[in-house]
Amino acid sequence: MNILMVLSTKVFPPDGRVEREARSLIGDGHRIFLMARRGPGQPAEETVDGVHVIRVPLPFQRRKAIADFIYFFFQRYFIFFHILRTCRKHRIQALHVHDLCYALATTLAGKLLRVPVVFDMHEHYTAMLKMSFKAKVYRKFKPFAFILLSLLRIEERIACRWARKVIVVADEHIGRIEGLGVARDNIVVVTNTEDVDYFRAFEIDESLLHKWDEDFVILYVGGFSPHRGLETAIGAMPVVLEKLPNARLLLVGDGVIRRELEQLVRELGLAERVTFTGHEPFRIIPTYIRLSSVCLIPHISTPHIETTMPNKIFQFMMLGKPVVVSNTRPMMRIVNGADCGLIFKERDVQSLAETIIALADDNLRQRLGENGKRAVEDRYNWQETVKALLNLYQ
């Protein structure tokens, strides 16, 4: 089957979930085309790991404010014409749209061409976007927030009803999608597990692996945005350091609230015990996980977080690290079911600090880490998860 995947504003590569899905579908005999934004220096078309990538330019990329405005209110609708042209040129037999922004254009194209559409909802997009407007860098866009969110909610309801199947990443999201008028039989759960063979194949950086050998490393990997709970992680460090003077909070990633986080670190006098690495290539992430003592996901409870599943929890578990997670439903389900970590009360500095201190116990860390590793080998791995996706297309 010729399948055209339509990716939102991201460039490709990288996109871990899209890459995993594409690899698996190609391995199952399908031919994958992918439409994505054209980034600086990228060709208009090329083949990447078997995926025929078609790139669409986004105007005014050097001026982010203008580019975002054009994207949200104009360009994401005009992608409809690019989809029609590509479908006819390559005889596309199924459309697979990733996330909400291009969902209306893709499902409309599918209706016109009588091609089935799969709507792959990586997250509760409108809830995530609403939360992002709380970041200082995006507050200037607040006058447009109500209009944009209203548009997206209408588009989401239409796209869900027009799509043949809707994919979600967590069981906790099913109820909301049913509320949009989608029959339960048309909702498929393809959660954010990791491809075990692919992830374990990355070479370990030995020089980095031993950089903080004397420290009790608390690792966070991911974006820096308002819903991530990183203020809680930093706020817990003074209490943690009273009991564990060698504790180090290692923040691997970047994002819109980085300056605010760095200011908080300075205010709390934690510059020697909190390390910002900046964005790191995906291939180095296994090394950071291996050098850590515990791995942290301090997300706050929002409608977005309560309906999604972070891929990193399975990466942490796979490499035998105990996880510390906030009491959000999807992550609690995994941690309680696998007995692979400890849970703290979201946004509660004292609760997080006490949870981290409890994991100073070597035996507890080892037991929880082994449980997580075993759970990934048994069920929480992409090789098992992807069966739902392959069955959908078969």
Side-chain angles (χ1 to χ4, degrees), residues 15 82 106 152 198 266 296:
D15 188 300
H82 292 278
T106 305
L152 286 169
Y198 180 78
R266 288 191 291 270
L296 175 64

Side-chain angles (χ1 to χ4, degrees), residues 65 67-77 100-102 125-130 132-133 138 141-156:
D68 285 349
F69 184 85
I70 289 174
Y71 170 73
F72 278 114
F73 290 102
F74 298 100
Q75 193 263 357
R76 65 190 188 90
Y77 299 116
L100 176 56
C101 285
Y102 288 151
Y125 190 88
T126 55
M128 180 274 294
L129 191 62
K130 183 178 180 180
S132 74
F133 284 115
Y138 286 133
F141 298 116
K142 272 195 171 181
F144 303 107
F146 177 79
I147 299 171
L148 178 58
L149 291 171
S150 298
L151 278 173
L152 286 169
R153 289 183 184 119
I154 294 169
E155 292 172 23
E156 181 181 55

Side-chain angles (χ1 to χ4, degrees), residues 291-323:
L291 67 81
S292 68
S293 304
V294 300
C295 295
L296 175 64
I297 307 177
H299 293 175
I300 68 174
S301 178
T302 68
H304 167 229
I305 293 300
E306 295 289 0
T307 54
T308 193
M309 182 69 71
N311 174 241
K312 56 198 167 195
I313 190 171
F314 302 111
Q315 296 168 352
F316 299 157
M317 292 164 63
M318 183 195 310
L319 298 184
K321 297 298 178 178
V323 295

Side-chain angles (χ1 to χ4, degrees), residues 230-286:
L230 295 174
E231 297 90 344
T232 307
I234 293 169
M237 284 302 290
V239 181
V240 171
L241 288 166
E242 289 178 8
K243 297 289 185 180
L244 303 172
N246 65 330
R248 176 177 300 277
L249 178 60
L250 186 58
L251 302 175
V252 179
D254 210 339
V256 294
I257 63 167
R258 177 167 175 173
R259 287 186 180 179
E260 296 169 47
L261 296 176
E262 289 174 334
Q263 177 62 30
L264 179 59
V265 167
R266 288 191 291 270
E267 289 172 1
L268 295 176
L270 296 171
E272 298 300 316
R273 292 284 101 190
V274 177
T275 300
F276 293 85
T277 70
H279 176 76
E280 293 279 14
F282 185 69
R283 60 179 170 75
I284 207 71
I285 300 305

Side-chain angles (χ1 to χ4, degrees), residues 64-104:
K64 182 169 173 52
I66 296 175
D68 285 349
F69 184 85
I70 289 174
Y71 170 73
F72 278 114
F73 290 102
F74 298 100
Q75 193 263 357
R76 65 190 188 90
Y77 299 116
F78 283 96
I79 199 75
F80 170 79
F81 300 103
H82 292 278
I83 294 169
L84 289 183
R85 184 168 60 247
T86 301
C87 285
R88 288 167 175 156
K89 180 179 178 180
H90 296 289
R91 298 181 180 180
I92 297 300
Q93 296 163 290
L95 288 161
H96 187 126
V97 59
H98 292 277
D99 258 329
L100 176 56
C101 285
Y102 288 151
L104 181 63

